[in-house]
Amino acid sequence: MGWIKDGSTIKANYLGDFEVVGVVTESRVKYGGKVQYTVELDEPVYLYSDEPRHILLIDEDDLIADFGVINGD
């Protein structure tokens, strides 16, 4: 698979403490050549505060699984 995962559902490790699942809304190459994904989460996470996070930035090194595009039809 290529590095562009827009629309794909992924599972990732975030900050070493949180396993998250969500849909990639943007794929980009950061300065230096690493790939980063903007992910809209299926369920919000609470990261060291009472404010829920619905969108996270995930580095390609933190991906656990790519389930591809899942249609809700």
Side-chain angles (χ1 to χ4, degrees):
M1 287 195 175
W3 64 273
I4 299 175
K5 299 191 183 304
D6 296 7
S8 292
T9 298
I10 63 164
K11 179 190 266 189
N13 184 354
Y14 188 73
L15 297 177
D17 293 332
F18 302 93
E19 211 169 86
V20 296
V21 176
V23 176
V24 176
T25 58
E26 181 183 22
S27 304
R28 74 181 192 104
V29 178
K30 298 191 313 183
Y31 184 75
K34 287 203 171 195
V35 175
Q36 184 178 65
Y37 302 106
T38 303
V39 179
E40 187 172 334
L41 302 177
D42 289 349
E43 296 181 17
V45 293
Y46 294 85
L47 304 173
Y48 314 113
S49 76
D50 293 336
E51 287 293 316
R53 304 284 175 107
H54 299 277
I55 296 173
L56 295 176
L57 298 176
I58 303 290
D59 288 334
E60 65 181 330
D61 298 339
D62 296 324
L63 286 182
I64 297 171
D66 178 359
F67 302 110
V69 177
I70 299 174
N71 292 328
D73 299 337

